[in-house]
Amino acid sequence: MSKDHGIRRGLTNYGDKDFAQYLRNSFARSMGISKEMLGRPIVGIAMTPSGFNNCHRDMPQLVEAVSRGVLASGALPLPFPTVSLGEVFLNPTSMVYRNLMAMDTEEMISAQPMDAVVMIGGCDKTVPAQIMGALSADLPAIQLVTGPMSTGRHRGERLGACTDCRRFWGKHRAGEVDAEEIALVEGRLATTAGTCAVMGTASTMACIAETLGLSLPDSAAIPAVHADRLVAAERSGVAAAAMISRPIRPSEIVTKKSIENALRVLMAVSGSTNAVVHLAAIAGRVGVSISRERFNQISDETPVLVDLKPVGEGYMEDFHAAGGVGAVLQEIKHLLHLDTVDILGQTLGERLAQPIEWVDRRVIRSFADPVSPVGGLIALQGNLAPDGAIFKRAAATPGLFETEGRAVVFESLEDLSKRVDDPALDVEANDILVLKNAGPIAAGMPEAGYLPIPKKLAQKGVKDMVRISDARMSGTAFGSIVLHIAPEAAVGGPLAAVRNGDRVRLSVANKSIELLVSAEEIAERLKHLPARNDPKRGYRALYARSVMQAPDGCDFDFLIHGGAADGA
Ligand code: FES
């Protein structure tokens, strides 16, 4: 092994290299690793177990299986921890900490002596954070996901987090499910290790990681508790060890072409709106950007093929059994760039030259017989969102695609929770609910864009309304919801100018979102915005100073390709 590999890599700086090597060897041997083993190439394993992350419950088994593969290939596995982000355990929202995890991942890969790395993540923000970090560290890297949960049962019905969480909560708010039943359901929604059981953000990002070429073929959808999940972990260890002598760097794998392929898959699986933000951040790490026009072109050309919740019927376990990402890629092969490469060194064309054994057409439809002829997501633009917004048409009510309505405005998340269920709230079913100050800087961009239907309307049977905000929405949610409005209200985006009673127009046909108020009046209103009160210390101050808007993936300006100077 060369001088710059394994335990000899990146010595601690004491001004005496030989001393640094001698000291490191000595301390490494205190871990009970033999001198022979210490002479081997090293595969780091970025592990993310946490008592605050249910989705990573099976991490110890996965680390063990990766280690087995690495050892069998003649290399030394060395697991190390990084930040872990459990979606529902973080305040104000996990999105604030994705960049912290990306920085941690990048720095620990770069600073510690390893020749390749397997990163194990799963829950929503962990996979994008690990990919972002790996791209910037640019050491041979493999993404392994923890895999989706299996479904639970309630009175003969299959349940999966978290689309069914929302469905039952909606029924509870409407008075259709009583307190006793909702307490029963609470214990039946998330019953195994793994990530949310539907095509939410975690599953979407797993499909994207595989499409980009950063995960093993056919690994994205294997259920967390399936034996094949451990086999995929073992094989990831083998593949990582093989990458040491045949290095393929993440920056060779993630290119404009592979990002476009990932966008195609995002459309075909009808994936999460959050993935749009994460893919923009991933693209930004390699200096790639995808225009709104190209995004919409890809959406209009790529049909929805996968029939899973939150939009359709099935769960991730069905998707795996039906053929998984490989079956989707086969159906849209003619739309893909086939010369992208993956961690195994094969091109996508070579991967897809191998036929699929069987496809369950109830779950993964053929190109000729899609769930929907166009993709699930579109980018909107207009005077209310000069830098864009996102709309998940696949999860919306077609009858609301062309809506002009009266704005019912909530100034903040606090205002929303205080007033939305107030019986005195002046709101009708054909109004448009507007939430301000829930963007990246104002609130860390929480998944608050799925505004609840005001209780008095829900109890009358109203199931959907047009709702608009600068927030995000859970990948497991559904409804006619305009998200990620940019610029956000807190930085003076026109969203800040909307007042109760203004007319707002959504047009899916025109891909536009408009505030029907004159440009002069909007400019006048924006002169009188309240001053921001950004945090002054610690990570939150760094966040407020550096976070970019949704179209730039909410990455920090100094972390993008080339750093802040390029991005300014
Ligand atoms: Fe972790 Fe849904 S809470 S993936």
Side-chain angles (χ1 to χ4, degrees), residues 119-425:
M119 307 173 298
I120 316 180
C123 196
D124 289 16
K125 305 304 176 298
T126 61
V127 171
Q130 290 182 324
I131 293 175
M132 290 159 69
L135 280 168
S136 297
D138 213 19
L139 191 79
I142 292 180
Q143 179 73 60
L144 172 68
V145 296
T146 56
M149 286 182 209
S150 302
T151 51
R153 295 289 182 278
H154 173 67
R155 297 181 180 169
E157 187 184 354
R158 278 208 297 172
L159 294 187
C162 215
T163 303
D164 295 321
C165 319
R166 292 171 207 290
R167 188 164 59 80
F168 270 91
W169 192 250
K171 285 185 177 182
H172 179 53
R173 279 176 60 82
E176 294 166 30
V177 166
D178 63 20
E180 203 178 316
E181 185 174 1
I182 202 76
L184 275 178
V185 169
E186 181 186 286
R188 294 172 177 173
L189 286 162
T191 54
T192 74
T195 51
C196 286
V198 298
M199 189 56 83
T201 305
S203 298
T204 306
M205 290 311 300
C207 296
I208 282 176
E210 182 178 327
T211 306
L212 286 171
L214 290 170
S215 298
L216 287 179
D218 300 315
S219 66
I222 304 168
V225 296
H226 197 300
D228 285 351
R229 173 58 53 203
L230 296 177
V231 174
E234 183 188 296
R235 288 190 178 143
S236 296
V238 171
M243 286 174 94
I244 296 172
S245 54
R246 182 185 39 75
I248 304 170
R249 295 182 180 275
S251 60
E252 296 169 69
I253 293 173
V254 178
T255 60
K256 184 157 190 151
K257 286 182 176 180
S258 65
I259 288 167
E260 288 201 350
N261 287 346
L263 273 174
R264 297 264 182 209
V265 166
L266 170 62
M267 300 301 172
V269 302
S270 200
S272 163
T273 49
N274 288 321
V276 179
V277 179
H278 298 319
L279 252 184
I282 287 166
R285 294 296 180 110
V286 287
V288 168
S289 68
I290 305 287
S291 70
R292 211 165 26 243
E293 293 70 31
R294 180 66 178 146
F295 180 92
N296 282 332
Q297 184 190 5
I298 287 172
S299 182
D300 288 343
E301 290 171 353
T302 314
V304 175
L305 299 177
V306 173
D307 191 10
L308 293 190
K309 289 172 190 276
V311 176
E313 282 309 310
Y315 295 88
M316 283 303 287
E317 59 196 15
D318 306 317
F319 181 55
H320 172 62
V325 172
V328 175
L329 291 171
Q330 285 287 0
E331 285 303 317
I332 58 170
K333 186 174 171 180
H334 58 288
L335 295 173
L336 298 171
H337 302 289
L338 297 176
D339 55 347
T340 58
V341 288
D342 68 12
I343 46 171
L344 300 177
Q346 66 180 349
T347 64
L348 183 59
E350 285 164 347
R351 173 183 172 182
L352 297 181
Q354 294 144 30
I356 299 266
E357 177 216 347
W358 179 77
V359 179
D360 185 344
R361 290 292 175 208
R362 290 170 302 178
V363 180
I364 303 172
R365 307 272 281 271
S366 70
F367 192 85
D369 177 30
V371 175
S372 155
V374 290
L377 305 171
I378 54 169
L380 305 176
Q381 208 249 349
N383 70 348
L384 197 44
D387 293 341
I390 290 292
F391 185 75
K392 188 168 182 175
R393 57 183 164 188
T397 306
L400 295 174
F401 278 10
E402 308 298 317
T403 295
E404 187 193 313
R406 186 181 67 139
V408 175
V409 178
F410 299 95
E411 293 294 331
S412 65
L413 292 157
E414 295 70 32
D415 185 32
L416 172 71
S417 63
K418 216 186 301 167
R419 292 194 299 120
V420 71
D421 287 339
D422 185 341
L425 182 70

Side-chain angles (χ1 to χ4, degrees), residues 53-60 146 191-194 225:
N53 194 339
N54 61 293
C55 302
H56 294 193
R57 195 180 88 188
D58 273 356
M59 189 68 54
T146 56
T191 54
T192 74
V225 296

Side-chain angles (χ1 to χ4, degrees), residues 480-501:
S480 301
I481 298 174
V482 177
L483 301 155
H484 311 178
I485 285 184
E488 65 175 297
V491 299
L495 180 65
V498 186
R499 291 183 183 165
N500 269 325

